[in-house]
Amino acid sequence: MHSPCEHRWTPTASSKSRRNSPRIKAAIVRDYFWAWAKIVLKKQPGPVAYVDLFAGPGLYKDGTKSTPLLVLEKAIADADMRERLVTIFNDAIPSNVRLLEAAIAGLPGIGNLKHQPEIDASEVGDETARSFQKISLVPTLLFADPWGYKGLSLSLIGSFLKDWGCDCVFFFNYNRINPELSNQAVKQHMDALFGIDRAEQLRERTANLPPYEREPEIIEALCEALNGLGARFVLPFCFKDDRGARTSHHLVFATKHALGYGIMKDIMAKYSSERHQGVASFGYCPASTIHPRLFELNRPLDDLENMLISDFAGRTLTTQQIYDVHNVGRPYPMKNYKAVLLKMEEKGLIQCEPTKRRAGTFADHVHVTFAKATVRKRIE
């Protein structure tokens, strides 16, 4: 029987790989923050914000810097960011707060930030969501990294996603949430995470399912819940346990914007441990015809050509239009589309304008004409 999350980020059984998991998570958040902030700063003249809930002590046990320090270092090194970034870090554990304060104070150049970091020691819960819901946020990236699931809720995520330029990345502790889904003692937390009705339906659907079928159901339900908040684009990145046999957790990204989705797709692809024919593993659940979103997220590059031929038969679009229309819910970044289109052009399956281009290139503005279905059948 195949594992429910084959072809995902798969740590080995070594202690080194166990340490790599939080580093990869922090690197994904850091890289997206930087790309997101640079775009938003150009689109509006005001401040941008980074909110890190359950921030931790700032350093992992081996001394590696976690997201608060990585984000602040990025800001310190950039003149525009130093003037415009507002940061809020939260942790309810007093020892974490003390260590985080010390770690931040020790950063070279921290005093050069116009807005000094704010550290909040309150417990994240319903009141947190209500407070953010009441205010209009500047463009904000939220990173929520709870140890378990308490405090993480749709209302909290929605209180950020409601405003322009706001995206969310959060830690979804599948290893804890999966067995607790039907635990009446924590029902309110599961309801808060999925929504009352969806959580109840999920309990019914997963009651008698084996593990390899439960995970696609749970992740699909989470994606649907986030879609309901207005997050049209959702990307989960899965981490396995040390043996590579079971899912440990997911890092989940939610945004309303196609541009952010494309950026995060490239970042997650970069940090994926496996590639098949140039297609990154990401960390998506296995393909299933029962879950169309997840089905599309596990297909190899060989299939991309056939999908394009079928989906765009008889149409003419630019490279950028093809990508925008086709990439959502599929594991292909733009470079995969361009590679396939180049091969299709060589095989005479498509007509491209302009025809005279630098060898091996396929620009975003190239117009691509796909043969009609009847013509394709005659060619075949």
Side-chain angles (χ1 to χ4, degrees):
M1 190 69 68
H2 293 294
S3 164
C5 288
E6 284 187 321
H7 311 314
R8 295 177 171 177
W9 170 260
T10 308
T12 67
S14 67
S15 59
K16 180 179 179 180
S17 69
R18 188 161 52 247
R19 293 194 301 269
N20 279 342
S21 178
R23 288 172 178 165
I24 294 296
K25 178 175 63 176
I28 289 173
V29 176
R30 175 202 61 200
D31 288 4
Y32 184 76
F33 160 77
W34 182 249
W36 165 86
K38 297 301 285 186
I39 291 171
V40 173
L41 287 173
K42 290 179 181 178
K43 289 182 176 290
Q44 53 89 44
V48 298
Y50 173 75
V51 176
D52 195 324
L53 304 181
F54 315 94
L59 295 169
Y60 296 116
K61 290 182 179 180
D62 64 355
T64 303
K65 295 169 184 175
S66 63
T67 50
L69 302 189
L70 294 175
V71 166
L72 288 172
E73 283 183 332
K74 280 286 191 182
I76 292 169
D78 185 86
D80 196 17
M81 202 84 76
R82 286 197 297 268
E83 295 295 312
R84 297 169 64 184
L85 179 65
V86 176
T87 53
I88 300 174
F89 303 103
N90 157 272
D91 203 292
I93 301 174
S95 60
N96 281 349
V97 172
R98 290 192 297 270
L99 290 170
L100 181 59
E101 287 175 337
I104 290 174
L107 286 175
I110 189 65
N112 295 330
L113 294 179
K114 179 179 181 180
H115 306 282
Q116 288 297 296
E118 176 184 337
I119 300 180
D120 171 70
S122 62
E123 185 171 334
V124 175
D126 293 341
E127 184 56 38
T128 312
R130 284 192 290 267
S131 65
F132 283 112
Q133 187 66 46
K134 292 176 183 176
I135 60 177
S136 179
L137 299 172
V138 302
T140 301
L141 177 63
L142 167 67
F143 177 45
D145 191 15
W147 176 254
Y149 44 76
K150 186 178 179 182
L152 185 64
S153 66
L154 290 179
S155 60
L156 176 66
I157 296 168
S159 70
F160 283 85
L161 289 177
K162 72 182 191 305
D163 293 311
W164 180 85
C166 294
D167 291 341
C168 175
V169 186
F170 64 92
F171 178 88
F172 183 76
N173 194 333
Y174 181 80
N175 195 44
R176 293 276 305 277
I177 292 168
N178 176 38
E180 299 283 31
L181 186 60
S182 299
N183 184 350
Q184 288 298 309
V186 295
K187 181 178 184 297
Q188 68 181 73
H189 297 302
M190 297 297 107
D191 289 350
L193 188 53
F194 293 97
I196 296 174
D197 293 341
R198 184 173 286 104
E200 190 57 40
Q201 294 168 5
L202 187 58
R203 292 183 187 101
E204 293 175 1
R205 290 201 306 270
T206 59
N208 298 310
L209 291 181
Y212 65 89
E213 292 183 9
R214 281 178 65 90
E215 187 170 358
E217 288 281 358
I218 291 172
I219 297 302
E220 182 75 5
L222 179 65
C223 291
E224 290 173 354
L226 294 169
N227 292 157
L229 297 176
R232 294 174 53 210
F233 308 100
V234 180
L235 278 172
F237 189 98
C238 174
F239 292 84
K240 295 271 203 100
D241 63 15
D242 288 344
R243 295 179 296 109
R246 299 178 61 182
T247 296
S248 170
H249 61 277
H250 293 259
L251 189 68
V252 181
F253 170 71
T255 181
K256 304 184 294 290
H257 308 288
L259 179 59
Y261 178 81
I263 292 170
M264 182 58 98
K265 178 179 281 191
D266 286 341
I267 292 170
M268 287 184 171
K270 180 174 71 172
Y271 287 106
S272 297
S273 62
E274 299 176 11
R275 281 172 175 76
H276 302 275
Q277 300 176 321
V279 181
S281 58
F282 285 87
Y284 296 106
C285 284
S288 169
T289 54
I290 301 174
H291 305 281
R293 184 202 324 272
L294 300 176
F295 176 71
E296 296 293 347
L297 289 171
N298 208 25
R299 301 183 69 166
L301 192 58
D302 283 349
D303 287 349
L304 181 55
E305 178 181 308
N306 292 329
M307 284 192 282
L308 294 179
I309 290 172
S310 174
D311 294 347
F312 296 110
R315 299 176 63 183
T316 298
L317 305 91
T318 65
T319 310
Q320 186 65 55
Q321 289 172 331
I322 292 169
Y323 176 78
D324 290 343
V325 170
H326 196 263
N327 90 96
V328 177
R330 296 183 171 101
Y332 308 109
M334 175 65 93
K335 65 179 182 180
N336 288 154
Y337 282 87
K338 290 184 176 181
V340 168
L341 289 171
L342 274 169
K343 290 182 179 179
M344 292 174 68
E345 183 181 28
E346 292 172 0
K347 293 190 287 187
L349 297 175
I350 55 176
Q351 299 298 317
C352 300
E353 290 290 341
T355 55
K356 294 183 178 180
R357 307 188 307 275
R358 187 159 53 90
T361 64
F362 213 98
D364 295 351
H365 64 268
V366 171
H367 284 78
V368 181
T369 300
F370 294 85
K372 294 181 180 179
T374 53
V375 173
R376 189 177 73 248
K377 288 180 179 178
R378 288 200 298 270
I379 295 174
E380 294 172 348

